[in-house]
Amino acid sequence: MDEDSTLSKQERTAVKERAAELKKQARNSRAKDKAAADAEDVRAKIAGMPDGDRELAQRVHDIVTDVAPALQPKLYYGQPGYARNGKVVCFFRSGQQDKERYSTFGFSAQADLDEPDGVWATSYALTDPGEKAWDHLAALIRRAAQE
């Protein structure tokens, strides 16, 4: 032990390691709290949507959380979005709140939906989708969520 120090080199190393562990735990705790808050924000946003869009958004939310549980809900430009590593992969837009003719479900550049012919859709209109349309959307979400 150094005469000038009350801690040995090993003790100082242990203290530094413990401090790093505590910082990491705090960051992880904040990240979990943020993820929970983000998910609650999305649920509240959906609950506050006008009739029609609320049901569409809830169905989209249910599909995303079922087929792509790794995607984290978060608001994206004030609308429900679903992110991987903090970057939005897909999102719902309320047509009524946007004062548009219909609601949409879209994909960002983070979604790997590229087609070999060089053309693919990144946004879909949702008016009154049937089960076949919901199944198609679920397949796209599953594909987009792959890492």
Side-chain angles (χ1 to χ4, degrees):
M1 184 164 16
D2 294 322
E3 293 178 11
D4 299 289
S5 175
T6 58
L7 297 176
S8 70
K9 182 178 179 181
Q10 292 84 1
E11 290 171 326
R12 284 192 305 275
T13 300
V15 167
K16 287 179 184 178
E17 288 174 354
R18 182 63 181 144
E21 290 170 3
L22 291 172
K23 282 183 183 179
K24 183 176 181 181
Q25 287 174 353
R27 275 194 311 270
N28 288 344
S29 177
R30 285 191 303 267
K32 287 178 187 174
D33 290 346
K34 181 169 176 12
D38 285 347
E40 181 54 37
D41 289 346
V42 168
R43 284 190 293 276
K45 181 65 178 185
I46 292 169
M49 288 182 178
D51 289 345
D53 280 356
R54 181 176 51 255
E55 291 78 13
L56 286 172
Q58 186 61 56
R59 182 75 185 263
V60 164
H61 180 77
D62 292 345
I63 290 170
V64 174
T65 56
D66 181 47
V67 303
L71 296 182
Q72 298 295 311
K74 67 183 282 182
L75 291 180
Y76 181 64
Y77 294 101
Q79 298 286 327
Y82 303 88
R84 176 179 52 234
N85 301 324
K87 295 183 179 184
V88 170
V89 174
C90 53
F91 53 90
F92 176 85
R93 301 283 316 167
S94 166
Q96 292 178 62
Q97 289 182 324
D98 287 347
K99 297 184 180 6
E100 295 290 340
R101 192 165 62 95
Y102 49 80
S103 295
T104 58
F105 185 78
F107 296 94
S108 74
Q110 301 300 315
D112 186 9
L113 297 175
D114 303 22
E115 292 291 339
D117 63 5
V119 176
W120 59 92
T122 60
S123 184
Y124 294 84
L126 300 176
T127 54
D128 188 18
E131 286 307 310
K132 185 176 176 182
W134 288 120
D135 290 345
H136 178 69
L137 192 64
L140 288 169
I141 292 165
R142 189 178 292 111
R143 184 173 155 202
Q146 294 176 0
E147 290 191 52

